[in-house]
Amino acid sequence: MARKAAIIGGGVIGGGWAARFVLNGWDAAVFDPDPQAERRIGEVMANARAALPALADVPMPPEGRLTFAGSITEALDGAGYVQESVSENLALKQRIFAQIQQVAPGLPVGSSTSGFKPSELQQGAANPATLFVAHPFNPVYLLPLAEVVPSPASDPAVIEAAKETLRQIGMYPLHIRKEIDAHIADRFLEAVWREALWLVKDGVATTEEIDEAIRMGFGLRWGQMGLFETYRIAGGEPGMKHFMAQFGPYLTAPWTRLTDVPEFNQGLVDLIAGQSDAQSGHYTIRELERIRDSNLIGFLRVLKDRNWGAGRVLKEHDRRLAQALPAPAPDTAAPMVMARLQVLPGWIDYNGHMTESRYLFAASETVDTFLRLIGADMDYVAGGHSYYTAESHILHKDEARLGDRLTGSVQVLQADEKRLRVFVTIARGADVVATVEQMLLHVDMAAGKTCPASPAVLARLMPVARAHQALPAPADAGRSIGRKS
């Protein structure tokens, strides 16, 4: 499949799809007749560039090319996948599908619809077998879930290929076994939304109080365990059966108004909007997006560290990215760029500069990626062997600030069966902000002492070491503290 996606519709969701594809190395062509589309997507791309790389622990692929097409036909040229993200209007979506299939009837077309069933979307289509739902969640460039919903008319091979495309860009395709209005996740959201509207309308709670109830309580549990696993724990040692026996009878209690909906009128709109303005109106939408993204990065990285929930998807995507990296070759006679990082809000100290510990973190990310590349990865560690850092020397040469994009490169200064001496350069473009020289020792973890690295690791390491011997020694290599340059 061609690694180009056609994005039809350039709003919040379409822009998120474009960012997700482009930052994962795909080209993306966006068609949206709105003259503001290019500006909006540029702002979404800026947020995505600041956020998505912070979730990866291996180098992200080179960015794909983002273009803006003047027509659907132009957007489809060379595409291998199409994502429709126009307004939630069935007739409009069907017209878009007809235009797509007039040009490329065999292309897989995913719809971002949050409510329509695929069988509805397929009505009147020239080739219904290639149309399906691929419903994401905002921000598309960070949240991995995509609900993939086929209909009986969908081609199973097309669906499986689409799911693989989504995995390639770091998403989790949840295959919905039976089409239903609003799929799965939005049905929950709609239930909570309706109940929240009643609570505000009846004066029980404000919009801010409802948000606090979610984010201070069950929202945190849902984010890492979902609904049923959370309630299984609530059942104690007897588990889910005990929970159901305890709380099942309350299903008939008048705790909810989900069977009724408040009248949607201007009074309700003004009430909700006024409270929302009081709650969050002092932030711009762009500021709220950046706050949201920063918080999501923190949550997702915790889950990633624990290989749990959405964190499993991130680790799997790292594995895919690492597999795509070129293997070291004997002629690698240049420092190897191993990490691409961005200075995030949590990396900044009181002076507005990147704090000292983050320079070492950047070096560690760089060296860890190199170790994975030569085969000393987590599977290798699980087998009882690892490289331990015995000595480090950091030289601060410039200041890194919030938002700076950094690269980390490795030059092997010395290597043998048991030792690996590397020189790491942390740079912002052509400017070096820090260098870190490290000596690593190969260790038998059970014995607690050094030992030779495995033949497989040495077979990948030593050609790089020999090639790097031809490079000039870095001027700061072997430097002691306080020595003048």
Side-chain angles (χ1 to χ4, degrees), residues 211-372:
D211 285 350
E212 298 291 18
I214 295 170
R215 61 189 171 202
M216 298 296 178
F218 64 87
L220 293 171
R221 299 186 310 191
W222 281 8
Q224 50 89 37
M225 277 196 169
L227 181 66
F228 285 98
E229 202 161 46
T230 294
Y231 283 160
R232 179 180 181 85
I233 293 173
E237 291 185 0
M240 181 60 84
K241 285 187 177 180
H242 180 62
F243 174 82
M244 295 292 287
Q246 272 194 311
F247 293 97
Y250 287 95
L251 291 174
T252 59
W255 281 8
T256 179
R257 298 184 66 166
L258 291 181
T259 56
D260 192 10
V261 294
E263 180 184 355
F264 188 80
N265 54 32
Q266 192 59 46
L268 180 62
V269 171
D270 291 343
L271 178 65
I272 298 293
Q275 291 187 11
S276 179
D277 288 345
Q279 176 185 352
S280 306
H282 53 290
Y283 295 109
T284 68
I285 292 299
R286 296 286 92 85
E287 287 171 335
L288 284 172
E289 287 174 343
R290 288 189 286 272
I291 291 168
R292 173 203 64 192
D293 290 356
S294 180
N295 291 336
L296 284 174
I297 290 166
F299 294 156
L300 289 168
R301 286 212 65 95
V302 168
L303 293 173
K304 186 179 184 182
D305 290 343
R306 288 153 178 77
N307 195 30
W308 192 264
R312 287 200 305 267
V313 179
L314 296 175
K315 290 181 77 73
E316 172 62 18
H317 192 46
D318 274 1
R319 186 189 66 78
R320 286 172 174 267
L321 293 176
Q323 287 178 337
L325 290 173
D331 60 351
T332 312
M336 303 171 68
V337 175
M338 289 284 101
R340 294 177 176 85
L341 306 164
Q342 185 156 28
V343 181
L344 302 173
W347 297 19
I348 299 300
D349 63 15
Y350 53 88
N351 290 319
H353 309 148
M354 189 165 85
T355 191
E356 285 89 343
S357 63
R358 286 296 175 176
Y359 289 94
L360 186 57
F361 170 80
S364 296
E365 292 291 288
T366 302
V367 174
D368 283 352
T369 303
F370 179 74
L371 293 178
R372 287 192 291 268

Side-chain angles (χ1 to χ4, degrees), residues 55-120:
L55 294 178
D57 291 315
V58 299
M60 294 286 290
E63 278 194 19
R65 182 167 172 257
L66 176 65
T67 57
F68 293 89
S71 66
I72 288 178
T73 299
E74 183 183 341
L76 295 174
D77 185 28
Y81 180 86
V82 185
Q83 185 70 32
E84 169 272 311
S85 300
V86 302
S87 300
E88 199 74 351
N89 179 296
L90 182 59
L92 172 62
K93 289 179 181 291
Q94 289 173 340
R95 287 199 301 272
I96 293 294
F97 297 146
Q99 293 177 54
I100 292 170
Q101 294 203 325
Q102 188 176 16
V103 177
L107 275 181
V109 183
S111 173
S112 298
T113 180
S114 57
F116 296 123
K117 298 191 290 287
S119 59
E120 295 174 312

